[in-house]
Amino acid sequence: DAGVIQSPRHEVTEMGQEVTLRCKPISGHNSLFWYRQTMMRGLELLIYFNNNVPIDDSGMPEDRFSAKMPNASFSTLKIQPSEPRDSAVYFCASSLPGLAYGELFFGEGSRLTVL
Amino acid sequence: SQKIEQNSEALNIQEGKTATLTCNYTNYSPAYLQWYRQDPGRGPVFLLLIRENEKEKRKERLKVTFDTTLKQSLFHITASQPADSATYLCALDYSSASKIIFGSGTRLSIRP
């Protein structure tokens, strides 16, 4: 399997622009997580889905952030409008649900720089 | 809210020695706890999972303990090697719906 695939790997944009990050989870995995990592705050959980349904979005910083999972093989994280403080590495991870399968498989991340 | 604390300082260990990393948590009793390794510019990679009813788990040179009374997990790397240098993250499930949250990580450096 190719693993979790994220795109783009790097994005540089200007403040106010819309940013869309994409994720393809591992086939057969039905839980998907979006995390944000910064030096100051570490790895923060933004939102996660089970069977394409958002379960908990309490980590989404504000209304500028939105996430969708239209089907089992694709998810997006959108920031509109972007701000410099959104600069971070955004990771997508997928897993099988249940106690025995808690392991998360991470993508390589999308490094976002907002100028 | 749930809080996870790991060694705040970087850990520098002589090659061959045992590295011990600490993960403490508050305000919750997780069903399991995980450890991940992260190299610069890469995503975290899963290492070990230990369940609440397990005291200890081993995998090759790695050992994890889980003390639910102390609310603490210890992660040991025996016979450490320079290739073990990385950041190590602990994570736990914060709800029955598998909400997995991470500690801030401990950067480990193994010097030859």
Side-chain angles (χ1 to χ4, degrees), chain A residues 35 37 48 56 102 104 108, chain B residues 34 36 38 42 97 99-100:
Chain A
Y35 289 89
Q37 189 173 42
Y48 72 104
D56 188 328
L104 294 183
E108 296 288 35
Chain B
Q34 305 173 10
Y36 290 76
Q38 186 175 24
R42 309 296 299 273
K99 177 178 180 177
I100 300 176

Side-chain angles (χ1 to χ4, degrees), chain B residues 94-112:
Chain B
Y94 187 42
S95 72
S96 59
S98 298
K99 177 178 180 177
I100 300 176
I101 59 174
F102 283 79
S104 55
T106 298
R107 190 167 68 221
L108 176 66
S109 295
I110 308 297
R111 59 182 185 274

